Each structure stands twice: as structure tokens, then as C-alpha cells.
């Protein structure tokens, strides 16, 4: 990490960099893997689960944004708990954060391996994940500012390709796919909200690099809520396209729902484009 002469980390991350970190750690499995798994349990009503989950997470995001602007130091939750409740609470929080980040990153790296499988037969998923892990370890050792520049490029790629997916997929939507909106009843929607909330949790990771963000009082809350707003729009519109263009049985059984929907929209070219977007998204999480 780069340090200033005062001993603090240099503030290299702009508003767009903060937005890219928050959005890049949010749009991944929640769009490219999870929809097919929960569609099998709730049908088109997963749109309600994604909407409610995004709204429910707003109050805790406001709390974390307030803490991060009051104490803009690297470490995130660990730093706050260590200062308020003591080293024991901080250590427990730090261990929990490390475990959650390890699992989320592993999921992203393996997910990228499966989407790379769109371009090759029998991909070595584990070795692909290990290779990317080593690559990003080196980038992160160079400092969050360097990682943020890579993140910016990946997020731009993801947003542009998902915008293409939504714009060109909208005219292909078959509205009769939404007639049986909640085949398993409203209870299935409530039970899935907690699962879907995981799709938005990446937004909170921005506070872990608060010390390196320029003008944190402005850029941290703006970066967090811009990322949440864009994520909700992309999730809801993208899922509407997926549900509208794919037969229900096909959507419920695939592990690459976005790529399969893109193939319906624009053939093999569309499948390749969205697969590239998925890979960029998973790598931005990593």
C-alpha cells in the first residue's frame, strides 16, 4: 500500500473509483448464477425478492456510510468495533470479515472458471481460479489505487455489456412468461429475500478502503448509494429480460442463465458477449 509522509495511506480513489469498487463487488453471482437457482423456487416473483432486498439494505448502508465518513480509516468493520467495543470484538469481526471475503472471492473465481467454459470444453476450473487469485494478489499488493484502476475498466465493461443485454433483449420479451407470477405462493418470496440480500452485500465493502478515498464525506456515501441504485436497476431489468426470453424450465435448470438468455437474443455472439461480461464481473469481485 502507498503511504503519505504523515503515515496515512494516500487518497488515490476518486468518486468513480469508489463507485466502481462498490458496484464491482456487487454485480456478479447475483446476476450471472443466482437467478436460475431461485427462479426454480419462486418463478417470476424473484423480481419482488430483488426489489425488497435492495430496499431493506438501505438503513444498514446509511449507518455504515456514517461510520466510514466519521472514521475514514482502512479496516472497515474491524476498525469501528475495535475502537468502540475493544480488541476482542474487533478480532471476532476481523476474522468473520476475512472468512466472508475468502468465501465470496472463491465463489467469484470459480464462477469465472465456469463462464470461461463457454469458450472451451472441460475447463480446468480450479487451476483457472488459482491463476486469477495469484494475479489479483499481486495487483492488490501494489495498492488499492492500482486495484481501483483495474476495477474501473472491469466495471465499465460489465455495465456496457449489461446495458446492451437489456436494450436488445427488451423487444424479445414474451409477457406470457409472467402470467404465473408466484407459482409457489408469497411465502417463497419472503424466504428468498435473505438469500438475495447477499447479492447486494458487496456494496458495503467500500468502507474497508475508506482511508484511501478522496473527500470521504462526499464520495463514500455517494459511491455506496450510486452503486446500490445502479445495481438494483441492472438486476431488475436484466432479470425481466431473462424471464421474458427464456422458457421457465430452461431458466430453472441452467447454471449460466445470462449467457443462455443472450443466446436467445443474439445467438452465439450474444452468448459470448455476456459470458465476457460475467467473467469481468467475477474478476472485479476477486
Amino acid at each position: 500500500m502507498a503511504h503519505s509522509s504523515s503515515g496515512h495511506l494516500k487518497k488515490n480513489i476518486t468518486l468513480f473509483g469508489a463507485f466502481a469498487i462498490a458496484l464491482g463487488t456487487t454485480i456478479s453471482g447475483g446476476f450471472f448464477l443466482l437467478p436460475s437457482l431461485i427462479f426454480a423456487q419462486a418463478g417470476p416473483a424473484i423480481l419482488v425478492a430483488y426489489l425488497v432486498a435492495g430496499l431493506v439494505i438501505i438503513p444498514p448502508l446509511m449507518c455504515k456510510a456514517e461510520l466510514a465518513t466519521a472514521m475514514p480509516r482502512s479496516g472497515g468493520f474491524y476498525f469501528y468495533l475495535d475502537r468502540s467495543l475493544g480488541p476482542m470484538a474487533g478480532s471476532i469481526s476481523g476474522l468473520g470479515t476475512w472468512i466472508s471475503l475468502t468465501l465470496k472471492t472463491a465463489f467469484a473465481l470459480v464462477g469465472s472458471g465456469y463462464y470461461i467454459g463457454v469458450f472451451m470444453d472441460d475447463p480446468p476450473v480450479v487451476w483457472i481460479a488459482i491463476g486469477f487469485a495469484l494475479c489479483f494478489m499481486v495487483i492488490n499488493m501494489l495498492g488499492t489505487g492500482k486495484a481501483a484502476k483495474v476495477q474501473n475498466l472491469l466495471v465499465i465493461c460489465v455495465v456496457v455489456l449489461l446495458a446492451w443485454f437489456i436494450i436488445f433483449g427488451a423487444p424479445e420479451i414474451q409477457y406470457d412468461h409472467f402470467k404465473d407470477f408466484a407459482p409457489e405462493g408469497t411465502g417463497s418470496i419472503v424466504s428468498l429475500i435473505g438469500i438475495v440480500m447477499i447479492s447486494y452485500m458487496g456494496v458495503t465493502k467500500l468502507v474497508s478502503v475508506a482511508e484511501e478515498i478522496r473527500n470521504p464525506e462526499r464520495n463514500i456515501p455517494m459511491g455506496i448509494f450510486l452503486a446500490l441504485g445502479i445495481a438494483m436497476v441492472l438486476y431488475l431489468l436484466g432479470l425481466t429480460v431473462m424471464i421474458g426470453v427464456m422458457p421457465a424450465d430452461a431458466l430453472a435448470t441452467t447454471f449460466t442463465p445470462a449467457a443462455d438468455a443472450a443466446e436467445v437474443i443474439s445467438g452465439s455472439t450474444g452468448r459470448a458477449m455476456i459470458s465476457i461480461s460475467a467473467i469481468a464481473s467475477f474478476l472485479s469481485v476477486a
Side-chain angles (χ1 to χ4, degrees):
M1 296 268 183
H3 289 73
S4 66
S5 57
S6 63
H8 295 290
L9 297 173
K10 290 184 178 180
K11 296 184 180 297
N12 294 320
I13 302 175
T14 62
L15 173 59
F16 184 80
F19 161 77
I21 289 173
L23 183 64
T25 52
T26 302
I27 300 289
S28 60
F31 188 91
F32 295 104
L33 286 178
L34 189 59
S36 60
L37 302 177
I38 64 174
F39 181 84
Q41 303 178 50
I46 63 172
L47 292 170
V48 177
Y50 273 83
L51 175 61
V52 174
L55 296 176
V56 166
I57 201 175
I58 290 177
L61 281 180
M62 295 176 68
C63 295
K64 290 174 182 177
E66 179 67 21
L67 284 170
T69 54
M71 295 181 284
R73 297 292 298 274
S74 290
F77 312 140
Y78 164 79
F79 183 82
Y80 316 143
L81 290 175
D82 180 68
R83 293 299 183 273
S84 60
L85 299 177
M88 178 61 73
S91 298
I92 294 172
S93 171
L95 180 61
T97 300
W98 177 78
I99 293 173
S100 68
L101 287 174
T102 301
L103 293 174
K104 187 176 180 65
T105 303
F107 179 76
L109 292 170
V110 172
S112 66
Y114 279 112
Y115 265 90
I116 288 174
V118 171
F119 303 100
M120 57 189 298
D121 296 326
D122 192 23
V125 174
V126 173
W127 288 108
I128 291 173
I130 292 173
F132 281 134
L134 294 174
C135 175
F136 283 106
M137 179 186 71
V138 173
I139 293 174
N140 284 321
M141 287 176 65
L142 295 176
T144 307
K146 300 291 191 303
K149 292 179 181 179
V150 176
Q151 185 87 324
N152 292 348
L153 295 175
L154 292 172
V155 168
I156 290 172
C157 174
V158 171
V159 172
V160 169
L161 290 175
L162 290 186
W164 168 87
F165 175 78
I166 293 167
I167 292 170
F168 284 87
E172 305 298 327
I173 293 176
Q174 303 294 319
Y175 292 98
D176 59 329
H177 289 187
F178 297 87
K179 286 183 179 179
D180 190 10
F181 190 72
E184 303 298 328
T186 57
S188 63
I189 303 173
V190 175
S191 64
L192 290 173
I193 291 173
I195 298 175
V196 173
M197 282 185 67
I198 298 173
S199 302
Y200 293 105
M201 295 307 293
V203 178
T204 67
K205 302 308 177 188
L206 180 61
V207 302
S208 296
V209 294
E211 189 172 348
E212 298 181 71
I213 297 175
R214 299 174 187 171
N215 192 7
E217 293 81 5
R218 168 181 177 269
N219 291 342
I220 290 176
M222 285 188 67
I224 286 175
F225 286 102
L226 280 173
L228 177 64
I230 296 297
M232 290 181 67
V233 170
L234 291 176
Y235 276 141
L236 293 174
L237 294 182
L239 288 172
T240 300
V241 171
M242 284 187 209
I243 297 168
V245 303
M246 291 185 66
D249 57 344
L251 181 56
T253 56
T254 180
F255 289 102
T256 54
D260 293 351
E263 187 171 21
V264 174
I265 296 168
S266 190
S268 58
T269 300
R271 182 177 178 83
M273 289 175 63
I274 289 302
S275 296
I276 292 172
S277 176
I279 294 166
S281 177
F282 283 123
L283 295 184
S284 70
V285 173

